[in-house]
Amino acid sequence: MGGAPDDKMEVEPTKVEAPVDHVTEFTADFKASLAAVDRYISTREPRFVHAALTLVGKIRSLEGKEGYQGKGASVLNSMVAHLFPAAHPHREMFRSVLSPLTTPLEAVAVDEKEKAKPLNPETEVLLSLLVLVLLVDAKKKEEACTCADKLCERLLTWNRRTLDPFAERIYFYASWAAESAGRLQDMRSTLLAAHRTACLHHNTACQATTLNLLLRNYLHYKLFDQADKLLTKATFPEQASITQLARFLYYNGRIKALQLEYTEAHRCLQQAQRKAPQSKALGFRLTVHKLGTIVQLLLGEIPDRAVFRNRQSRGSMLPYLKLVQAVRLGDLASFKSSMETHADVYHADGNYTLVMRLRQNVIRAGLRNISVAYSRISLADVAAKLHLDNPEDMEPIAAKAIRDGVIDAKLDHAEGTLISEGPHDVYSTLEPQAAFHKRITFCLNVHNDAVKAMSYPPDAHKGDLPDAETIKERQREEQELAQSLAEEDDEF
């Protein structure tokens, strides 16, 4: 029989987890990254430099935590003071720009008694890169541009292939700093020289990054002809990272869309959507979806509703949803209202020029709906239903739609009416015969390929080789030897 529970049962004390000291953790990661740089120099294994470059994300994450603003800059300032020699030309500049960003630390981040090792170029570039990243995030535009220029100049003084992985990040953040300060055109010659050097050194990562930065530079200043010329002259490396490939496809799709090559633009944007990170980079994915929506509408297609229903993209895609609804219904008044309401959004996204081209698609969709609903209607009534600003433009618009095959109708110029043709029986045309012939041809080709594959033995091609007779003689000798061995076994 079970006894009564003991009221004085001992209760295990709950373990209270100690609060995480992010500064100490980051300092340890900092030292581990510096050790990884040393191992990368001695072994040349890429995994060590990738581990070292994760420090860029860690210092930005530490600065973004509540209550830790300035802690990462303080650790970096201590590292610069400890590792950079006193005669280094950039030591005082880095310390002066980091001082306003620092926050006093409770514990010493760097052991001052520890003897500093000789500063190698890779460690120097990594620390300089971290300084540039903090200045960009802190929106210190002038200081960031000055630091970027000094860093690019310093990078050209070395000719070491171990600096190639760092050069990619340097040019990326240098271009970001110049764009934030409104001086992106000053980076163009630097990026062109860096791209040429990366191609000569077969530096795949830097080659892909600089190419994307140049395309962004040209598109920022609406130099579409120069961007297209760069695409025809330059080649995107196949071994580049998938994120850089997604950016390249997006820039390529934007250029093609502006040049009226909507089919190619749609293909590039679809590829960019597939190759973009699905769990991160929400801003990039939304940018691609916005441009892809306009390109699909210009092609006469209606985008998928899933993009507009997603919780993360619902608010950002709302102005483009209004465009889709206006184009689908052919409502020109709704299209004009959307253009007036969300003009700032379209300008900010850089899509206003493409959105203006949708007006013709809206008119065509509305004209198609009217031609289906009315067998005979006056052009004045059509212009009123479409809310055209100039009703006298209705006749040439309808004539062009008839010529392009948008509607099946004819114009009565004398009476000013649009007469819709009745529905045609498709079986009275040659279209079913052509479709049936295409299917039969496909089946016959599959049958002929199958018969051809079964007509030849697997080793039939060996008879045409130069040493075919020698091979046959050897095979014959091997068969005779095997047969004689089998007969000897039977005798015993």
Side-chain angles (χ1 to χ4, degrees), residues 140-142 144-145 175-184:
K140 302 288 185 178
K141 300 179 182 179
E142 295 300 326
C145 289
S175 179
W176 188 355
E179 184 176 355
S180 301
R183 294 161 46 186
L184 193 56

Side-chain angles (χ1 to χ4, degrees), residues 329-351:
L329 298 175
D331 190 351
L332 192 59
S334 177
F335 176 76
K336 292 179 180 178
S337 175
S338 177
M339 287 289 296
E340 295 174 357
T341 306
H342 305 289
D344 296 337
V345 177
Y346 302 142
H347 276 294
D349 296 336
N351 297 328

Side-chain angles (χ1 to χ4, degrees), residues 171-400:
Y171 289 118
F172 175 78
Y173 284 104
S175 179
W176 188 355
E179 184 176 355
S180 301
R183 294 161 46 186
L184 193 56
Q185 71 277 4
D186 298 339
M187 281 294 298
R188 195 173 303 156
S189 58
T190 304
L191 293 175
L192 286 170
H195 182 70
R196 181 175 63 251
T197 304
C199 294
L200 293 175
H201 292 166
H202 301 285
N203 185 2
T204 302
C206 191
Q207 183 180 349
T209 302
T210 51
L211 179 58
N212 285 335
L213 292 175
L214 283 169
L215 291 175
R216 181 180 181 88
N217 198 309
Y218 288 131
L219 290 175
H220 182 79
Y221 293 102
K222 297 180 173 54
L223 302 175
F224 306 119
D225 293 336
Q226 288 87 334
D228 184 62
K229 189 178 295 185
L230 178 63
L231 286 176
T232 58
K233 300 294 183 181
T235 303
F236 190 83
E238 296 180 357
Q239 298 82 10
S241 64
I242 194 169
T243 54
Q244 293 296 335
L245 177 58
R247 289 183 180 181
F248 175 75
L249 290 170
Y250 164 71
Y251 292 137
N252 200 354
R254 177 170 287 278
I255 293 170
K256 297 300 181 185
L258 292 168
Q259 293 178 338
L260 306 179
E261 300 179 17
Y262 300 129
T263 304
E264 181 65 17
H266 181 51
R267 184 192 67 81
C268 292
L269 293 173
Q270 276 189 326
Q271 292 293 327
Q273 291 172 8
R274 296 190 184 103
K275 297 184 183 300
Q278 300 303 315
S279 59
K280 299 179 180 179
L282 177 61
F284 176 78
R285 286 186 281 118
L286 287 177
T287 303
V288 177
H289 282 308
K290 290 174 182 178
L291 181 58
T293 298
I294 299 175
V295 171
Q296 279 189 274
L297 293 175
L298 290 171
L299 283 173
E301 302 175 0
I302 301 299
D304 188 9
R305 290 186 178 182
V307 180
F308 306 99
R309 290 180 174 178
N310 192 355
R311 181 175 56 85
Q312 294 180 330
S313 60
R314 189 179 303 166
S316 301
M317 296 296 294
L318 181 60
Y320 295 87
L321 177 61
K322 299 297 183 181
L323 290 179
V324 174
Q325 294 173 346
V327 173
R328 186 175 62 86
L329 298 175
D331 190 351
L332 192 59
S334 177
F335 176 76
K336 292 179 180 178
S337 175
S338 177
M339 287 289 296
E340 295 174 357
T341 306
H342 305 289
D344 296 337
V345 177
Y346 302 142
H347 276 294
D349 296 336
N351 297 328
Y352 189 80
T353 303
L354 294 173
V355 171
M356 289 294 294
R357 299 180 187 177
L358 288 174
R359 182 177 181 274
Q360 192 68 22
N361 293 61
V362 176
I363 295 175
R364 288 189 174 190
L367 190 58
R368 189 186 303 114
N369 295 336
I370 292 173
S371 66
V372 172
Y374 295 90
S375 60
R376 187 184 186 95
I377 185 173
S378 66
L379 293 176
D381 293 339
V382 175
K385 290 181 178 296
L386 293 178
H387 301 92
L388 288 182
D389 297 332
N390 300 317
E392 58 272 10
D393 296 338
M394 189 63 246
E395 185 172 353
I397 292 175
K400 189 175 186 304

Side-chain angles (χ1 to χ4, degrees), residues 55-230:
L55 194 63
V56 177
K58 291 176 181 177
I59 195 171
R60 299 183 70 187
S61 176
L62 179 65
E63 290 290 323
K65 285 183 171 55
E66 186 177 356
Y68 286 90
Q69 289 80 8
K71 303 294 186 181
S74 300
V75 176
L76 181 58
N77 195 13
S78 302
M79 287 290 181
V80 169
H82 182 64
L83 296 176
F84 277 62
H88 195 279
H90 296 164
R91 183 178 187 272
E92 295 304 324
M93 183 190 70
F94 287 160
R95 298 207 65 187
S96 63
V97 296
L98 284 175
S99 296
L101 306 178
T102 57
T103 301
L105 296 176
E106 297 178 0
V108 180
V110 181
D111 187 4
E112 300 294 343
K113 297 180 181 180
E114 182 181 354
K115 186 177 180 180
K117 299 178 181 179
L119 185 65
N120 53 56
E122 289 76 14
T123 303
E124 177 185 340
V125 170
L126 177 59
L127 294 176
S128 304
L129 176 62
L130 295 176
V131 174
L132 177 60
V133 169
L134 288 181
L135 291 175
V136 171
D137 287 344
K139 295 187 173 27
K140 302 288 185 178
K141 300 179 182 179
E142 295 300 326
E143 293 85 348
C145 289
T146 303
C147 180
D149 295 339
K150 297 289 185 182
L151 188 52
C152 291
E153 293 175 2
R154 183 72 172 170
L155 191 63
L156 295 177
T157 59
W158 294 300
N159 187 17
R160 296 164 63 100
R161 299 284 68 76
T162 51
L163 289 173
D164 290 346
F166 300 97
E168 173 197 4
R169 301 294 184 90
I170 289 171
Y171 289 118
F172 175 78
Y173 284 104
S175 179
W176 188 355
E179 184 176 355
S180 301
R183 294 161 46 186
L184 193 56
Q185 71 277 4
D186 298 339
M187 281 294 298
R188 195 173 303 156
S189 58
T190 304
L191 293 175
L192 286 170
H195 182 70
R196 181 175 63 251
T197 304
C199 294
L200 293 175
H201 292 166
H202 301 285
N203 185 2
T204 302
C206 191
Q207 183 180 349
T209 302
T210 51
L211 179 58
N212 285 335
L213 292 175
L214 283 169
L215 291 175
R216 181 180 181 88
N217 198 309
Y218 288 131
L219 290 175
H220 182 79
Y221 293 102
K222 297 180 173 54
L223 302 175
F224 306 119
D225 293 336
Q226 288 87 334
D228 184 62
K229 189 178 295 185
L230 178 63

